[in-house]
Amino acid sequence: MALSVGFIGVGNMGNPMAANVLKAGFPMTVFDMNPKAMANLVEGGARRADSAQAVVDASEVLLTS
């Protein structure tokens, strides 16, 4: 089973990085202050979190941008 990954900050820089991790098959939870920034990742299979703390709580590995 793959490690669960959390990504906080999926704007201009974080979004492509998060997308690559998601494409690699890792279950991912994402959060950004701008809800629209998460849309493509959620459509790709990521879970949307309501807060940065929720990402921390749901993840074994945490990435930020």
Side-chain angles (χ1 to χ4, degrees), residues 10 15 30-32 34-43 48-49:
V10 292
N15 199 295
V30 296
F31 175 75
D32 195 277
N34 176 3
K36 292 180 182 179
M38 298 182 279
N40 67 310
L41 299 169
V42 172
E43 289 173 11
R48 176 188 314 258

Side-chain angles (χ1 to χ4, degrees), residues 4-47:
S4 60
V5 177
F7 210 112
I8 300 170
V10 292
N12 290 336
M13 287 179 47
N15 199 295
M17 291 188 285
N20 285 332
V21 174
L22 190 59
K23 287 177 192 173
F26 291 91
M28 179 174 284
T29 304
V30 296
F31 175 75
D32 195 277
M33 296 288 289
N34 176 3
K36 292 180 182 179
M38 298 182 279
N40 67 310
L41 299 169
V42 172
E43 289 173 11
R47 291 186 353 194

